[in-house]
Amino acid sequence: MALLPPDPVYCLKAKDLSAFHSLCFHTSERLYSGNVNGKVQLWDLQTNRSTYQLAVGKSPIIGLAHTEDALITQEKEGAVKLWELTNSAYVLRHESATEHVGFCRFVLHNDAVIMPRGEDKIAILCGQTFTERQLLNPATVTEPKLPPLGTVMCLLPVVIKEKAYLLAAYEAGVLVLWDLESYKPISHLQVCQDECLMAVDYDAYNNRGVCGGTSDKIYVFSVDRQSMELCKTSEICIKNAGISRLKIRKDLKVFVSTGRDGRIRIFSWKSLRPLAVLTEHRNELLDVIYSDEKVSMWKAVIMAAAGTDGKISLWNLYN
């Protein structure tokens, strides 16, 4: 490797070592984690202690996001819920059943919540009232004709040429680009065969994305800006199979992959070459995120990673 692997700046640990399934930052000083027991914990990154706990449900919290005044949670076997932040606690205001037992997480786009609905459908909800605005249903699409997709596995809103789209990855190894104005698919790409896609990220500036899943390959793709066709450009092989998350850092310098083997792999986004492998975790990693701003404790943008070992590792990759 070109660089020696750094050590984490700190590790947060659950008292009972419960598995963490999801993470999100709310300001650079507050980190939220969703665990296997249906609870959300708030971590103060000035003291590195858990200061608040919210009981959401009984199944794992696989999705988390925080707007200016609300927390949104997603349970693996339940619903997406909106919790309003009051002076003293979070109060449940809205709830929508996903009818989806799986790993696909909701995403936010402007004032909308986009989430899985059943097996292969995608629902677009109003972010304030949780009323359904639109349902993206592959079964009703006649042109272009889509191949068998299986269950939707991950979602990513993207903006290309000032227009909003949704990248959706499916169980059958297919990537679909949906138009969020016409609510129709623009193109699709059979990325791989006999492999379930689990993660996707895309850089609109350089017109390049990465996706991966149950195999030992990360697939690199682009979008033809004229035809809007998805095109696979190359592959990156990793040592062990099973990718859960792929994240491109906002400065477009590096991207990371996490997965079943507990390794965090760091790659150069420019050259796609591996830079380092972080080995702090021993079990499967389920989420990785970056803070939007510098965390005052370490005066740097921090990457947080968590998984089934009940530990959240915090990293300063700028060092």
Side-chain angles (χ1 to χ4, degrees), residues 237-252:
C237 291
I238 60 175
K239 186 175 182 180
N240 299 318
I243 295 168
S244 59
R245 300 289 270 170
L246 290 165
K247 287 286 186 177
I248 305 166
R249 201 168 66 188
K250 288 188 177 182
D251 65 356
L252 307 181

Side-chain angles (χ1 to χ4, degrees), residues 69-86:
D69 56 4
L71 174 69
I72 304 174
T73 63
Q74 180 184 358
E75 299 159 63
K76 182 180 178 183
E77 298 177 0
V80 175
K81 298 176 180 178
L82 184 142
W83 304 81
E84 184 181 356
L85 177 59
T86 66

Side-chain angles (χ1 to χ4, degrees), residues 96-263:
S96 181
T98 63
E99 303 169 13
H100 174 89
V101 180
F103 301 97
C104 184
R105 308 172 191 227
F106 77 90
V107 291
L108 301 181
H109 175 66
N110 294 335
D111 63 341
V113 175
I114 305 175
M115 69 180 201
R117 179 81 81 191
E119 183 179 359
D120 59 357
K121 296 183 284 295
I122 301 165
I124 302 176
L125 311 182
C126 170
Q128 300 298 319
T129 64
F130 265 39
T131 54
E132 186 175 300
R133 291 178 176 173
Q134 193 70 35
L135 185 68
L136 308 183
N137 185 357
T140 64
V141 175
T142 56
E143 185 66 31
K145 185 173 178 58
L146 296 173
L149 300 175
T151 303
V152 60
M153 302 304 296
C154 60
L155 305 168
L156 180 70
V158 298
V159 176
I160 302 174
K161 296 193 298 186
E162 300 182 351
K163 190 173 179 180
Y165 298 91
L166 179 72
L167 278 167
Y170 292 85
E171 182 183 15
V174 179
L175 199 60
V176 177
L177 184 65
W178 293 86
D179 186 332
L180 288 181
E181 291 181 6
S182 66
Y183 304 112
K184 295 179 180 179
I186 299 300
S187 64
H188 66 274
L189 174 66
Q190 184 75 55
V191 177
C192 49
Q193 300 287 344
D194 303 319
E195 178 183 347
C196 176
L197 291 177
M198 300 289 292
V200 63
D201 205 356
Y202 176 75
D203 162 19
Y205 181 80
N206 291 299
N207 186 24
R208 184 165 65 180
V210 283
C211 60
T214 51
S215 79
D216 59 354
K217 291 183 176 64
I218 298 171
Y219 302 97
V220 185
F221 67 91
S222 63
V223 181
D224 186 298
R225 294 300 176 92
Q226 298 301 317
S227 65
M228 298 306 294
E229 290 292 324
L230 293 162
C231 314
K232 187 167 73 171
T233 58
S234 61
E235 299 177 0
I236 305 169
C237 291
I238 60 175
K239 186 175 182 180
N240 299 318
I243 295 168
S244 59
R245 300 289 270 170
L246 290 165
K247 287 286 186 177
I248 305 166
R249 201 168 66 188
K250 288 188 177 182
D251 65 356
L252 307 181
K253 296 295 180 65
V254 300
F255 81 96
V256 300
S257 74
T258 62
R260 292 177 188 166
D261 62 359
R263 301 293 189 262

Side-chain angles (χ1 to χ4, degrees), residues 269-285:
W269 184 231
K270 182 178 180 180
S271 67
L272 303 179
R273 298 176 66 178
L275 299 178
V277 178
L278 310 182
T279 59
E280 180 67 26
H281 296 267
R282 299 302 178 193
N283 299 324
E284 184 177 9
L285 286 168

